[in-house]
Amino acid sequence: MPVGLIALALGGFGIGLTEFVIMGLLPQVAADFHVTEASAGWLISGYALAVVVGALGLTAAVTRFERKPVLAVLMVLFIAGNLVSALAPDYPIMMAGRILAALSHGAFFGIGAVVAASMVAPDKKAGAIAIMFTGLTAANVLGVPFGTMLGQAAGWRATFWAITVIGVLALAGILALVPKTGSGEAAAGGLRSELRAFRSGQVWLSILVTILGYGGMFGAFTYIAFTLTEVTGFAASTVPWLLILFGVGLFIGNTLGGKAADKNVDRTLLVVLAVLVVVLVVFALTSGNQPMTIASMVLLGGFGFATVPGLQMRVMKYASSAPTLASGANIGAFNVGNALGAWLGGVTITAGLGYTSPIWAGAGITVLGLAVMVFAAADAKKHDGGRPADVDSSTADSETELQTA
């Protein structure tokens, strides 16, 4: 395994930690800055929206440059954002730091995937990309709960100082271990070809399902620390351990969801979204029961993230031979869903509906996502003659893009 992949994975770990660790620290951050829970939630929504901007705009702006220096600059941006967050004297400065760090998120993963693939033989490209994204998975399974624990023990700022250090280590690794690579295509024709993918109605339907399906899960998860402590009755010190359970569910769901989507994408998404609605409803109804809440946490992570491989594969399939920009747009869509879920959950809390209301809101959003998926699957079956939305076509298209990038 090329050692440069370790540097990319470490960068992914730090970025994933920045995105998700704030959830377990929201009560402390809200209290420190004297803002409401809903306002604190905007530190998540603002990050997610900034990821959308970076995933599309920043990636397009840097494609003409050599990729290794671009990755290094993106990591510097990430370090600066977390440093600002660690030092923030007030809420607006904290928000600015979150946005600054978020701008590097989408571009780092998009460009990093191409760099990872370039380090290995053609038949090992997918494995190399998976290694890079292992950092993001590890951030959820291990980094978030232990980052939350550090924040509770030494103050939430300590967590952002730790993330800053991780960023510095990743930057050093990228500079020392990642080989030089070429630049991406900047030809106008190439951009026009990528934009033509958005003529497909199925691409837009897939993106909408991503926003609603992932947004429902994220809306329930955003305020989970308040639900666990104020409704279920867990001590604040147990929240990091409960987040580990969520991370275990995430890992299992992501793995099994990918295998199921290999066989039939649409059927997998329909089943997973339907079960996710049930999980959210049961979670809301039984959130006062500790054993049921623990089970719901695992299932929420499992079925929530089981949608991710299929959603990404579906967009790439219907983008046909030009999946790069559509795939990037879908990464942005995940974060639009994050923002939507966090915002709606905050609205319900502000309205005085209690700390289970974000879970109910998440269930409602997911029902809408399921409805769109039912329509999209029926329309695809009608126009594709019943041909299953399998991984083969999307894999072939992505391989072509990686080889030409």
Side-chain angles (χ1 to χ4, degrees):
M1 179 182 68
V3 291
L5 292 176
I6 298 176
L8 295 177
L10 183 59
F13 177 79
I15 291 174
L17 192 55
T18 297
E19 180 176 19
F20 293 111
V21 77
I22 188 69
M23 295 172 193
L25 300 175
L26 276 186
Q28 294 95 316
V29 173
D32 198 16
F33 289 136
H34 306 289
V35 297
T36 65
E37 297 95 332
S39 295
W42 271 101
L43 294 172
I44 298 171
S45 301
Y47 183 99
L49 294 174
V51 170
V52 178
V53 175
L56 296 176
L58 193 56
T59 301
V62 300
T63 51
R64 71 188 66 185
F65 302 109
E66 185 182 340
R67 297 187 186 103
K68 178 177 177 177
V70 167
L71 287 174
V73 171
L74 290 172
M75 194 49 58
V76 169
L77 188 65
F78 168 80
I79 294 168
N82 282 285
L83 187 59
V84 169
S85 294
L87 296 170
D90 52 38
Y91 177 83
I93 300 300
M94 178 70 174
M95 178 65 77
R98 294 284 292 167
I99 292 173
L100 190 61
L103 289 174
S104 67
H105 183 126
F108 182 88
F109 281 112
I111 297 172
V114 178
V115 173
S118 71
M119 294 183 192
V120 297
D123 61 339
K124 296 182 179 179
K125 290 181 181 293
I129 295 171
I131 291 173
M132 187 192 77
F133 278 91
T134 297
L136 184 61
T137 304
N140 283 279
V141 177
L142 297 175
V144 170
F146 284 103
T148 302
M149 192 181 304
L150 174 62
Q152 291 178 343
W156 63 265
R157 295 178 189 275
T159 299
F160 285 93
W161 279 112
I163 297 172
T164 301
V165 172
I166 292 172
V168 172
L169 293 175
L171 173 61
I174 289 170
L175 293 174
L177 303 176
V178 173
K180 291 184 178 180
T181 61
S183 59
E185 293 184 6
L191 291 176
R192 284 195 296 269
S193 177
E194 291 288 340
L195 289 171
R196 279 198 293 271
F198 292 96
R199 295 179 181 177
S200 168
Q202 285 291 338
V203 168
W204 287 106
L205 287 170
S206 300
I207 288 174
L208 184 56
V209 174
T210 295
I211 293 172
L212 296 173
Y214 196 72
M217 184 279 295
F218 207 84
F221 186 59
T222 297
Y223 299 95
I224 197 67
F226 295 106
T227 304
L228 294 174
T229 56
E230 302 299 325
V231 179
T232 314
F234 285 111
S237 59
T238 66
V239 171
W241 302 105
L242 294 170
L243 292 179
I244 291 178
L245 294 177
F246 177 84
V248 170
L250 177 157
F251 179 81
I252 295 173
N254 189 53
T255 302
L256 297 181
K259 292 182 178 180
D262 280 341
K263 300 176 180 178
N264 190 299
V265 172
D266 284 3
R267 183 169 59 204
T268 297
L269 290 174
L270 288 169
V271 171
V272 170
L273 287 171
V275 176
L276 181 58
V277 171
V278 175
V279 170
L280 287 165
V281 170
V282 171
F283 189 7
L285 291 173
T286 63
S287 57
N289 181 286
Q290 292 188 352
M292 287 297 297
T293 293
I294 291 172
S296 295
M297 288 279 290
V298 177
L299 293 173
L300 179 62
F303 285 97
F305 277 79
T307 62
V308 174
L311 289 169
Q312 196 69 17
M313 286 163 52
R314 197 175 198 279
V315 167
M316 293 176 66
K317 169 185 164 57
Y318 287 104
S320 189
S321 60
T324 304
L325 192 57
S327 180
N330 201 51
I331 292 175
F334 281 113
N335 287 276
V336 172
N338 292 355
L340 172 65
W343 171 77
L344 189 57
V347 168
T348 61
I349 291 176
T350 301
L353 299 178
Y355 291 118
T356 61
S357 59
I359 306 175
W360 286 112
I365 298 173
T366 306
V367 167
L368 294 176
L370 176 60
V372 175
M373 187 62 227
V374 169
F375 174 81
D379 184 71
K381 187 175 182 179
K382 176 182 177 181
H383 290 92
D384 294 351
R387 176 167 54 88
D390 56 35
V391 68
D392 294 337
S393 59
S394 62
T395 301
D397 293 338
S398 61
E399 283 290 317
T400 301
E401 283 297 315
L402 289 172
Q403 291 170 1
T404 58

